[in-house]
Amino acid sequence: NAISKKLKEFEMERGIPATELGVKEAKLAFAHVSFSLVALLIGGLCGLLQTLVRTGVIPEIAGIGYYELLTAHGLMLAIVFTTLFIFGLLFSFLGQSFGRFEEFPRRLGWVGFWLMMLGVVLVTWMVLAGEASVLYTFYAPLKAHPVFYIGLVIFVVGTWISSGAMFRMYADYKREHPGVHPPLQAYMSIMTVLLWVVATLGVAATILFQLLPLSLGWTDKVGIELSRTLFWYFGHPLVYFWLLPAYIVWYTVIPKIVGGKIFSDALARMSFLLFLLFSFPVGFHHQLLEPGISAFWKYIQVVLTFLVIIPSLMTAFSMFATFELAGRRNGATGLFGWIKKMPYRDVRFLAPFVGMLFFIPAGAGGVINASHQLNIVVHNTLWVTGHFHITVGAAVALTFFGTAYWLVPLLRGRTLTKQLNRIGLIQTATWTIGMLFMSTAMHISGLLGNPRRTGPAAYFKDSLVADWIPYHAAMAIGGTILFISILLFLFAMFQLAFRAPKGIEEFPVAETEEAAMQTPLFFENWKLWIFVTFALIAFAYTVPIWHMIENAPPGAPGWKLW
Ligand code: HAS
Ligand code: CU
């Protein structure tokens, strides 16, 4: 047809593929991205409905109340939307880096995709049927239907198979190019999936050995502290699994869009390496207020938490450097002259940039959370909900939105038009306003003691907590604006996938600045880094987990609270 003919001509002319991504690779990536958008729609709708139910604007319908909606909201957005979008994006990065995939890894990619879909269907079915109102953390001793856990396992196995496909491609490239650094985007993508695979070992352990047997009735008690510890061993690196793909875009795509270069290849690789090393031994910062873990081990993991902030600070530094150098190339002067030179009218830049702005207070909030004394004030309040809506819900989500505006047309052989770019700008603005309303209200009312994950309660009318009511109104308003933003986004994506004019969208990848130093080859020493990663995990977890098992209370029966 016309488009492939045009592509062919283009390829002939330049002697290279029109885009490094072949048609088959694009199909695989688009399958992931398009289903991630379905999850975004369902998850966003459930988010809006749970706010309205909690605020008392609407009643629960057909037995689907606050906890069912909140569970679906969390799972659909935090797990399904993110993971599918990320795998689609990483397959695109690998296609761009390595060219066409071999038949075998591409097949694996499809097997992984379909297993993920099967897992999602089982999990969603159970949640909507009211069999698994356990929220996205499915904490013990809450007990869901076995099919819920089986769905989760199938989903995770799917991701492992897709990750295997990626490892295979990376290894093939390294074998064929000895002594060379694989492209930066490929290195970062592999680091991201490696982080995911190591992290999911923990959650797989608690599901397979604790929660599923409990749910099937094979055991009648569950060790709560151990289960939560295995969950957070996964749960913290999970947040970096969301963040790192956004960072790949910040490091490698944004410089191109602002007309600059990647500040430093070595710095970028090193920050990702540090994420691998320090993402795992920090899960206790989610359990600071739980008994059964000694203060010493909490302290150790808090120190390590402060270490894992460093690669984010490196990223901030690198972004400022990129912006300033690009600005100066375009004639900016002075310390802040670059601010006037950025392409704010390009959604591919604006959305991720607003995400970066959100990430400044979001990161500061994380540092507050990690400080034990302050955690006592904020733990289990809406403050934490505010924190993760400006991390994953703003910094990461906005980056993914901005990315989708070039990725979706690229995968579909179409181009981003002026009008759709303008819709993108409006959509970014609505997301920003909605999120400002919602997350500010969450942070403040959290400080006033407003608990998270608590259904509509009669005590709201109590004069003691009447202060919270205006904040709930602000959250409902913010949530509504956010949902409108999602609808705008999905409209634009539909147009970009099926209606926009055909053509070749550029895959924006920046070049690197003239390097002050060469990237050291030991960054490629995977055996060493995986060893150090597991050594740090063993250091931070062996003794406290041993204490948990040795001093374990008899265990708790599973509970179904709904
Ligand atoms: Fe967090 C709870 C600590 C980062 C997500 N976090 C959560 C939960 C989620 C989450 C989902 O220590 C709730 C889990 C649950 O359901 O219970 N978090 C941290 C720390 C960081 C952090 C120390 N979190 C994230 C990221 C997330 C995320 C990233 C998702 C993507 N978090 C915690 C703690 C808790 C917690 C406790 C438990 C709370 C409790 O009690 O339950 C750090 O990684 C943050 C480092 C980030 C920075 C910011 C760097 C800034 C950059 C932007 C530069 C801007 C530019 C633009 C260049 C230091 C890179 C400039 C332009 C101009 C014009 C100025
Ligand atoms: Cu964490």
Side-chain angles (χ1 to χ4, degrees), residues 284-454:
F284 286 169
H285 69 228
H286 293 267
Q287 300 176 277
L288 290 175
L289 300 195
E290 286 180 20
I293 305 167
S294 77
F296 174 77
W297 289 104
K298 287 178 181 168
Y299 173 75
I300 293 287
Q301 294 214 7
V302 163
V303 171
L304 290 165
T305 301
F306 279 82
L307 278 181
V308 79
I309 293 167
I310 292 172
S312 281
L313 294 176
M314 288 164 65
T315 305
F317 171 80
S318 187
M319 294 321 297
F320 277 111
T322 295
F323 293 156
E324 186 180 340
L325 289 170
R328 283 184 192 278
R329 278 204 187 97
N330 291 324
T333 51
L335 204 50
F336 296 111
W338 57 269
I339 293 180
K340 285 189 235 140
K341 299 284 179 186
M342 295 293 123
Y344 299 106
R345 285 167 185 283
D346 185 342
V347 64
R348 300 172 311 158
F349 171 76
L350 184 75
F353 182 73
V354 177
M356 291 175 204
L357 293 179
F358 267 110
F359 202 48
I360 296 173
V367 175
I368 290 170
N369 297 343
S371 313
H372 195 159
Q373 291 85 337
L374 296 175
N375 190 267
I376 294 170
V377 180
V378 300
H379 185 63
N380 274 341
T381 72
L382 274 178
W383 164 283
V384 175
T385 318
H387 164 70
F388 66 73
H389 279 86
I390 54 176
T391 50
V392 64
V396 171
L398 279 167
T399 303
F400 288 177
F401 293 161
T403 303
Y405 281 94
W406 58 263
L407 184 64
V408 167
L410 176 124
L411 295 176
R412 299 283 303 156
R414 292 172 194 272
T415 52
L416 174 58
T417 60
K418 266 211 165 98
Q419 288 96 319
L420 288 171
N421 180 62
R422 197 153 68 231
I423 291 183
L425 298 179
I426 298 170
Q427 188 240 322
T428 306
T430 43
W431 194 264
T432 308
I433 295 167
M435 204 46 100
L436 279 175
F437 262 96
M438 198 177 84
S439 66
T440 312
M442 284 172 168
H443 275 96
I444 299 177
S445 77
L447 290 180
L448 296 175
N450 197 351
R452 67 185 284 206
R453 301 182 146 179
T454 306

Side-chain angles (χ1 to χ4, degrees), residues 498-531:
F498 302 109
R499 294 267 187 280
K502 296 197 168 168
I504 297 155
E505 187 67 33
E506 154 197 51
F507 199 123
V509 194
E511 291 167 26
T512 311
E513 294 280 352
E514 202 60 53
M517 69 177 272
Q518 271 212 313
T519 305
L521 261 180
F522 64 78
F523 284 2
E524 282 297 319
N525 193 342
W526 294 91
K527 281 194 191 116
L528 172 68
W529 302 123
I530 293 172
F531 174 78

Side-chain angles (χ1 to χ4, degrees), residues 244-302:
L244 293 192
Y247 274 9
I248 304 180
V249 173
W250 294 6
Y251 273 109
T252 66
V253 171
I254 295 298
K256 173 83 178 181
I257 295 174
V258 303
K261 291 185 177 172
I262 297 168
F263 172 65
S264 160
D265 180 273
L267 181 147
R269 286 182 206 245
M270 187 174 154
S271 84
F272 271 53
L273 191 52
L274 292 178
F275 273 115
L276 178 71
L277 303 187
F278 294 118
S279 285
F280 303 101
V282 299
F284 286 169
H285 69 228
H286 293 267
Q287 300 176 277
L288 290 175
L289 300 195
E290 286 180 20
I293 305 167
S294 77
F296 174 77
W297 289 104
K298 287 178 181 168
Y299 173 75
I300 293 287
Q301 294 214 7
V302 163

Side-chain angles (χ1 to χ4, degrees), residues 34-190:
S34 54
F35 279 95
S36 82
L37 300 182
V38 176
L40 178 67
L41 179 64
I42 303 173
L45 182 63
C46 292
L48 177 61
L49 293 177
Q50 64 81 26
T51 306
L52 297 179
V53 171
R54 191 188 188 196
T55 317
V57 178
I58 56 168
E60 71 178 54
I61 308 152
I64 300 187
Y66 174 74
Y67 294 103
E68 288 72 33
L69 290 166
L70 187 58
T71 305
H73 170 59
L75 284 168
M76 276 295 154
L77 293 186
I79 307 293
V80 184
F81 163 65
T82 50
T83 307
L84 283 173
F85 190 87
I86 289 169
F87 272 90
L89 183 61
L90 298 184
F91 274 122
S92 310
F93 286 143
L94 290 185
Q96 171 66 21
S97 304
F98 296 153
R100 316 277 150 114
F101 299 167
E102 303 273 334
E103 172 109 5
F104 177 65
R106 202 179 60 238
R107 285 254 163 91
L108 280 188
W110 280 109
V111 173
F113 171 74
W114 286 113
L115 284 177
M116 288 185 224
M117 297 314 291
L118 176 62
V120 171
V121 168
L122 294 178
V123 166
T124 313
W125 170 36
M126 284 297 111
V127 173
L128 293 182
E131 293 289 346
S133 303
V134 291
L135 307 182
Y136 86 105
T137 42
F138 45 88
Y139 261 12
L142 293 180
K143 191 171 86 173
H145 193 285
V147 172
F148 173 79
Y149 301 111
I150 292 168
L152 289 175
V153 171
I154 294 175
F155 182 81
V156 170
V157 170
T159 64
W160 285 348
I161 291 176
S162 297
S163 305
M166 295 189 185
F167 294 143
R168 166 72 182 252
M169 286 188 257
Y170 197 82
D172 285 349
Y173 182 91
K174 275 175 67 78
R175 207 181 41 248
E176 286 155 21
H177 303 78
V180 178
H181 281 289
L184 181 58
Q185 282 184 334
Y187 182 84
M188 296 173 130
S189 303
I190 286 301

